Amino acid sequence: MSDEKLMSKKKPSYKVGEKFFEYLSEYNRTTHIPISYDDLLRFSGSVAVLDKNDEDTLWVRVYYNEFEREEIDRELKQVYSIFHSDGNEDIISFLNIDAIDYCTFGNSKPFRVKVRNILNDNFTYFYIKKADASRIYGLELEHMLSPYNLNFLVFNDTLIEEHIAGIPGDVFIQDYLPACTETEKSQIAKEFVKFNERCMIRLLGDMRSYNYVVVPVHDFDHVVYRIRAIDFDQQCYESKFKVYRPQFFKENSTLVMMVQDKLLANSIEQYKKEERSVIAKRMKGADKRIKKLLKCMVKDKISPFENVKILRAELYEYTLDMKFKRCRTMGQLLRTALEFVKRNYEDVNMKRLLQG
């Protein structure tokens, strides 16, 4: 099935509701910032940003008139200070805004801000986007259910998001994977199986190769590769179950074939079980917070009901759990999916105890 038929043409942005905003405030995800997403749209010109091979990156570097640029630079430094040091303005004099880039590709149309410390030339990025409820749900779920913590802040209709470092999946597959050893390829195959399972369980869609990064971690005498999602726009939106399983995107076909080549069927099943077990443990560890998040999500509309009807039918077909048939929102579908995983984990542990 082609990606065009698998995915909707365009996902709308969903406003952050009152209850969800209260949740975000409770867990220190909200703040007051001096600049908004709309302020950055007032650029007066732009040029294409090219990569090292002079290929178009689909980002443009934007420019502002002289008077606006001075104000925007100052406010972006304040945002960086709020984001990374709780608003301590002592660091502002050591910061420089090297670039502001804008991407018209995809749903969120983000601004990417490059900030450099003038004392040592170290630099980092952060992103400014329109606050979309489904994306923010995705960020929160990633923070709680994946191995990785995420830093983001919401102010009115503006979202500030940290940069997730790593090699873009499409770049890694083309430029780095061929040079990996056979052992490293086996480890990457294992990681892709777990990543695929994690996305499926928490209904994170559209993990095509350019929507995740591969992170090489040097560990003693070898390199371990991790896969991290970087795009959360398609959290609980699409109708087709395949969208939530990275294995079905043609951009990931190289990794899928590598899984088939490097891993035995029983190993693949074991890695899936391991990931389900880890997610169930994370759910138990953050039980109160996840319940509060799902309570907001169950009542929120973050996808058309037509999508919910199609997805609930496919989830029932996959799990044979009747509870999916009673779901009327994407939040209910996700809650049911997580309860299904948690229940199976507890059943397995109970059998182990009885046998022991």
Side-chain angles (χ1 to χ4, degrees):
M1 183 180 290
S2 71
D3 293 348
E4 287 73 19
K5 293 181 180 177
L6 199 60
M7 299 282 296
S8 300
K9 289 297 182 185
K10 185 170 175 61
K11 169 188 165 292
S13 180
Y14 289 93
K15 186 177 179 181
V16 177
E18 183 179 344
K19 291 296 182 184
F20 189 26
F21 190 82
E22 288 175 5
Y23 165 91
L24 294 169
S25 298
E26 180 179 353
Y27 289 99
N28 299 314
R29 295 298 200 184
T30 60
T31 190
H32 183 280
I33 57 173
I35 194 169
S36 71
Y37 177 88
D38 288 342
D39 290 333
L40 292 177
L41 289 173
R42 300 198 306 264
F43 54 86
S44 56
S46 65
V47 295
V49 177
L50 306 179
D51 65 15
K52 61 182 181 180
N53 299 317
D54 290 330
E55 298 286 338
D56 191 353
T57 63
L58 302 179
W59 290 82
V60 296
R61 186 145 297 163
V62 298
Y63 299 96
Y64 300 85
N65 67 51
E66 182 181 350
F67 301 105
E68 279 201 323
R69 178 68 196 222
E70 185 177 336
E71 180 182 358
I72 286 171
D73 274 18
R74 183 177 65 253
E75 290 172 343
L76 289 176
K77 291 175 186 177
Q78 290 173 336
V79 170
Y80 177 90
S81 170
I82 292 167
F83 201 47
H84 289 284
S85 60
D86 295 327
N88 183 352
E89 297 197 357
D90 293 344
I91 66 170
I92 288 179
S93 59
F94 306 123
L95 301 177
N96 190 69
I97 305 299
D98 276 9
I100 305 171
D101 299 332
Y102 178 60
C103 182
T104 58
F105 178 71
N107 290 313
S108 58
K109 296 184 178 178
F111 285 93
R112 180 178 63 197
V113 181
K114 182 180 180 181
V115 185
R116 179 171 54 89
N117 186 313
I118 61 176
L119 296 179
N120 52 33
D121 271 347
N122 285 334
F123 64 87
T124 187
Y125 299 93
F126 65 88
Y127 297 84
I128 298 181
K129 307 177 180 182
K130 273 283 188 183
D132 170 40
S134 60
R135 180 180 182 86
I136 298 170
Y137 278 121
L139 289 165
E140 268 294 280
L141 288 163
E142 180 76 1
H143 180 76
M144 289 186 281
L145 298 181
S146 84
Y148 313 106
N149 293 331
L150 286 181
N151 187 19
F152 67 90
L153 291 169
V154 179
F155 175 62
N156 293 337
D157 62 350
T158 298
L159 169 66
I160 312 294
E161 219 178 287
E162 72 176 343
H163 174 66
I164 299 174
I167 305 167
D170 53 344
V171 175
F172 181 84
I173 290 168
Q174 179 177 313
D175 297 343
Y176 294 84
L177 186 59
C180 288
T181 66
E182 296 307 306
T183 301
E184 288 171 340
K185 288 178 181 178
S186 294
Q187 190 270 319
I188 294 166
K190 171 186 174 180
E191 179 67 14
F192 184 74
V193 169
K194 292 193 167 193
F195 177 68
N196 188 80
E197 194 73 5
R198 189 159 65 243
C199 293
M200 180 188 72
I201 289 169
R202 43 79 58 98
L203 297 181
L204 175 62
D206 194 17
M207 281 300 109
R208 286 175 278 191
S209 55
Y210 47 77
N211 286 332
Y212 58 79
V213 293
V214 179
V215 185
V217 180
H218 292 266
D219 181 22
F220 187 45
D221 60 349
H222 66 291
V223 179
V224 177
Y225 295 89
R226 304 298 184 203
I227 300 177
R228 292 192 63 176
I230 59 171
D231 192 317
F232 303 93
D233 284 337
Q234 293 289 343
Q235 175 66 55
C236 294
Y237 175 76
E238 295 287 346
S239 61
K240 295 181 177 65
F241 187 37
K242 285 184 176 181
V243 173
Y244 304 101
R245 305 171 75 184
Q247 69 189 81
F248 288 107
F249 287 103
K250 66 178 184 290
E251 291 87 349
N252 298 325
S253 60
T254 300
L255 296 184
V256 172
M257 288 187 288
M258 198 166 70
V259 168
Q260 294 169 348
D261 181 50
K262 294 293 180 183
L263 304 179
L264 297 173
N266 57 356
S267 294
I268 294 172
E269 189 57 35
Q270 178 58 34
Y271 296 144
K272 289 181 179 180
K273 288 178 180 177
E274 287 178 9
E275 192 60 30
R276 292 176 210 146
S277 174
V278 169
I279 289 175
K281 288 176 183 176
R282 292 192 186 109
M283 289 170 61
K284 290 173 73 71
D287 185 61
K288 183 179 178 182
R289 184 167 178 171
I290 288 176
K291 283 181 177 176
K292 285 186 176 181
L293 180 70
L294 291 173
K295 187 176 180 181
C296 297
M297 202 173 186
V298 160
K299 296 179 181 178
D300 255 355
K301 180 181 178 182
I302 53 175
S303 183
F305 184 55
E306 282 302 310
N307 287 7
V308 177
K309 286 196 297 184
I310 295 169
L311 184 57
R312 74 184 180 189
E314 294 192 13
L315 286 170
Y316 167 73
E317 186 178 341
Y318 185 76
T319 63
L320 300 180
D321 187 341
M322 287 295 295
K323 291 181 180 179
F324 283 108
K325 287 196 167 186
R326 296 193 288 270
C327 295
R328 298 191 60 80
T329 67
M330 282 293 183
Q332 288 176 330
L333 285 176
L334 178 62
R335 183 174 66 184
T336 304
L338 294 177
E339 287 174 349
F340 180 83
V341 170
K342 186 178 178 182
R343 189 165 61 247
N344 286 351
Y345 166 76
E346 290 170 346
D347 288 347
V348 168
N349 276 353
M350 182 59 68
K351 286 179 183 177
R352 189 179 296 116
L353 286 171
L354 292 174
Q355 290 170 354

